Amino acid sequence: MNLTEVNVGEEYIIKEILTDDEELNAFLFSLGCYSGEPITVVSRKKKSCFVSIKDSRYNIDNQLASAIIV
């Protein structure tokens, strides 16, 4: 399942990132978002969600969240 389908407040382990965009992959990697890392959806908005990765919080849009498989 992807991040748009998970329960808020539960920790999940990232299995893979489904994107062909190398720039996006590099950006996510710089945030610490890669396979094997824990991630938590802290809250959801209509078009985005706040995630916690390595003690930092980021706001990502739903399109990006749907590319992160847990």
Side-chain angles (χ1 to χ4, degrees), residues 2-12 38-46 48-60 62 65 68 70:
N2 63 43
L3 282 187
T4 62
E5 303 167 334
V6 301
N7 295 326
V8 173
E10 288 187 33
E11 185 175 271
Y12 295 88
I39 188 168
T40 304
V41 175
V42 178
S43 66
R44 282 207 177 92
K45 301 277 185 192
K46 190 173 186 178
S48 65
C49 61
F50 286 93
V51 297
S52 176
I53 306 167
K54 292 190 173 199
D55 298 327
S56 296
R57 292 186 181 194
Y58 304 101
N59 183 23
I60 59 174
N62 286 338
I68 302 172
V70 294

